[in-house]
Amino acid sequence: MEKKKVLIVGGGNAGLSVAAQLLRKNKSLDVQVIEPSDKHYYQPAWTLVGAGIFDIRKTVRNEADVIPAGVKWIRDAITEFEPEHNRVKGKSGESYTYDVMVVAPGIQLDWQKVKGLRENLGKNQVSSNYSFDHATYTWDMIKNFTGGVAVFTNPSTPIKCGGAPHKIMYLACDYWRKKGILDKCEVHYISGGSVLFGVKEYLATLQKVVEKNNIHLHLGANAVEVDGINHILYYEEKSADGQPVRKDIHFDILHAVPPQSAPDFIKNSPLADPKNPHGYVEVDKFTLQHTRYANIFSLGDSSNAPCSKTGAAIRKQAPVVVENIISFFNQQKLEKEYHGYSACPIPTQYGKLMLAEFDYSNKPTMTFPFDQAKPRWTMWMLKKYILPWLYWNKILKGTA
Ligand SMILES: Cc1cc2nc3c(=O)[nH]c(=O)nc-3n(C[C@H](O)[C@H](O)[C@H](O)COP(=O)(O)OP(=O)(O)OC[C@H]3O[C@@H](n4cnc5c(N)ncnc54)[C@H](O)[C@@H]3O)c2cc1C
């Protein structure tokens, strides 16, 4: 009998988690991953790289070394979907067919939507932990800062790891306090979001951190342009009658996070959710099956499941996708459900971290038998040592 073929688009956190777990459940499947990059990144540690406490080289491995045993890696980039024919096209000109497809090519960083941002990254005191190439420059800026205006931005679009734009700000403030210069620093958070954090139990903790560090919050304010030479950030706020008002702020250092959306080849495909302004893959938010193409599933940053986009979310999504694919092949009802679990480990200072866990209802879903809204040293150790180990040794191998 011919093997059933599962084609996975994207060999990142989500794609490899599903590939490894699928083969553990059913060795008779033909599992293939299409991934253009020869490098695989552990992105959650980039915040720690920017804070000077994690070696950037430990956040990257060769893709060939992390592809799960038994999985075939096709080095190509998908450019087009033909779901009516169970076929996709690659940049190489090749076409690939499948019985079931899993779509997991991550999220696109739209640097160009903030004029001048990409051009200034890594120079003129402008950085971003969202770039492997520049996270170390963030640390250079923080370490060498002697006082002045420090600006941190967060876009209005959904992003991967909603906490990352402010995590680095709390660590920077703590570093400057310990260096004895915090009273010479004027710290601004310019965020397109309407709140600092969406879950009120965790928000209360962060508000105290903001107060303690005397951070100036600008909510509903969207960065639009960086003038690196003159150290000016332009941003837009809405006036009382809803009109955009352009403002500017001088910075001595700037940590910027770009707007994000589904990769263009997803946005422009029949798989995209036509109602989603960011073009994510349209799935049932519980089964993660495509709402129009029954043999397509999607998870991770590229799906329109209305959860917070994190690796932690993928840990709960991957087993759901795997079980439901197996049920699909067995022509059974898809019974496994994902309920929006996500986690955001937010360091509030060096050595202390609040592990915010929540679900679709934005209610805390705490794993540990203590109040996780309280920042703790144990949770810091989890983020710094245990989670990276778990990622490389268990999650990518399909055993956690
Ligand atoms: C600074 C930062 C801090 C973060 N902190 C945390 C944290 O503390 N906790 C947490 O849980 N998460 C965190 N995250 C988020 C986490 O890294 C992502 O949610 C996770 O990596 C998403 O996995 P994914 O597989 O959907 O996408 P990715 O891991 O980005 O993988 C997508 C893959 O698809 C490939 N691809 C792209 N285009 C194509 C194509 N055309 N064809 C085929 N393949 C393609 C890419 O090369 C890539 O390998 C953080 C992210 C950042 C940037």
Side-chain angles (χ1 to χ4, degrees):
M1 209 177 70
E2 215 173 281
K3 283 181 161 190
K4 293 277 187 205
K5 180 166 159 190
V6 180
L7 189 67
I8 300 178
V9 177
N13 184 351
L16 293 194
S17 301
V18 169
Q21 290 184 29
L22 259 180
L23 272 188
R24 282 185 184 273
K25 287 261 171 192
N26 185 344
K27 293 214 169 6
S28 70
L29 292 173
D30 173 8
V31 180
Q32 308 196 357
V33 171
I34 303 197
E35 166 61 58
S37 170
D38 66 345
K39 297 286 180 231
H40 185 105
Y41 300 96
Y42 178 62
Q43 304 167 42
W46 293 350
T47 297
L48 303 180
V49 171
I53 45 165
F54 205 95
D55 183 348
I56 187 86
R57 291 168 300 182
K58 292 192 176 149
T59 71
V60 57
R61 291 196 183 173
N62 291 325
E63 184 75 15
D65 297 337
V66 293
I67 292 280
V71 172
K72 180 178 172 197
W73 173 23
I74 302 167
R75 188 141 184 228
D76 202 349
I78 294 310
T79 52
E80 223 178 303
F81 293 94
E82 297 175 329
E84 312 292 351
H85 303 289
N86 297 331
R87 201 166 55 206
V88 291
K89 280 191 182 152
K91 201 172 168 190
S92 65
E94 284 291 315
S95 287
Y96 309 93
T97 56
Y98 55 84
D99 294 301
V100 157
M101 176 166 66
V102 178
V103 183
I107 204 165
Q108 177 172 288
L109 302 173
D110 295 322
W111 299 105
Q112 76 291 352
K113 290 198 176 151
V114 179
K115 197 175 162 203
L117 174 54
R118 198 201 308 254
E119 296 76 1
N120 281 293
L121 279 178
K123 60 180 185 203
N124 295 329
Q125 302 302 308
V126 178
S127 191
S128 180
N129 287 345
Y130 277 71
S131 157
F132 173 79
D133 294 330
H134 300 104
T136 52
Y137 187 70
T138 304
W139 174 232
D140 289 342
M141 294 191 323
I142 292 173
K143 179 177 65 180
N144 297 326
F145 196 50
T146 51
V149 180
V151 176
F152 296 81
T153 74
N154 175 47
S156 60
T157 65
I159 57 171
K160 49 181 159 187
C161 194
H166 46 133
K167 289 174 187 181
I168 188 64
M169 176 171 71
Y170 306 136
L171 289 171
C173 287
D174 190 43
Y175 183 79
W176 296 327
R177 169 178 296 100
K178 288 183 175 129
K179 205 175 157 185
I181 60 159
L182 189 60
D183 58 347
K184 293 197 200 106
C185 305
E186 189 184 309
V187 181
H188 292 260
Y189 186 56
I190 300 207
S191 170
S194 56
V195 285
L196 181 60
F197 199 78
V199 183
K200 70 175 186 332
E201 288 79 356
Y202 303 121
L203 174 64
T205 300
L206 296 180
Q207 276 167 335
K208 283 187 204 141
V209 182
V210 163
E211 259 168 53
K212 180 174 144 194
N213 292 309
N214 197 19
I215 294 168
H216 303 259
L217 287 188
H218 308 251
L219 299 176
N222 210 13
V224 291
E225 185 176 344
V226 176
D227 174 349
I229 306 269
N230 295 306
H231 286 198
I232 297 171
L233 173 76
Y234 295 92
Y235 61 99
E236 277 180 5
E237 277 180 344
K238 290 244 160 60
S239 65
D241 57 358
Q243 294 306 310
V245 179
R246 193 172 161 99
K247 296 193 169 172
D248 60 71
I249 183 167
H250 161 85
F251 63 83
D252 293 298
I253 62 170
L254 170 66
H255 179 269
V257 175
Q260 298 169 35
S261 64
D264 288 340
F265 77 101
I266 297 281
K267 260 187 223 127
N268 304 327
S269 80
L271 306 191
D273 172 0
K275 292 185 295 298
N276 187 300
H278 310 293
Y280 299 114
V281 180
E282 183 175 13
V283 293
D284 176 279
K285 70 177 187 176
F286 298 116
T287 63
L288 306 178
Q289 181 186 39
H290 199 281
T291 42
R292 286 171 281 120
Y293 305 105
N295 63 339
I296 298 180
F297 293 79
S298 179
L299 77 166
D301 294 350
S302 60
S303 103
N304 77 338
C307 61
S308 174
K309 296 179 184 300
T310 62
I314 291 167
R315 233 183 121 215
K316 299 286 180 185
Q317 293 171 352
V320 171
V321 168
V322 167
E323 284 295 333
N324 286 343
I325 289 175
I326 288 168
S327 299
F328 177 82
F329 280 137
N330 293 334
Q331 294 172 341
Q332 291 163 341
K333 189 167 176 272
L334 309 192
E335 291 200 320
K336 261 295 221 199
E337 289 191 346
Y338 166 68
H339 288 275
Y341 172 88
S342 195
C344 196
I346 305 189
T348 49
Q349 62 182 79
Y350 285 82
K352 284 222 169 136
L353 182 139
M354 171 176 77
L355 182 63
E357 293 179 293
F358 46 93
D359 62 13
Y360 280 143
S361 65
N362 266 356
K363 295 253 157 55
T365 50
M366 300 187 187
T367 301
F368 296 100
F370 47 71
D371 178 12
Q372 286 177 217
K374 185 169 178 255
R376 290 167 198 271
W377 176 79
T378 46
M379 297 295 97
W380 169 266
M381 299 305 273
L382 180 78
K383 163 91 184 155
K384 190 161 180 238
Y385 298 106
I386 298 172
L387 292 178
W389 183 87
L390 206 67
Y391 185 76
W392 296 118
N393 297 294
K394 297 280 180 189
I395 292 175
L396 292 184
K397 295 190 165 74
T399 56

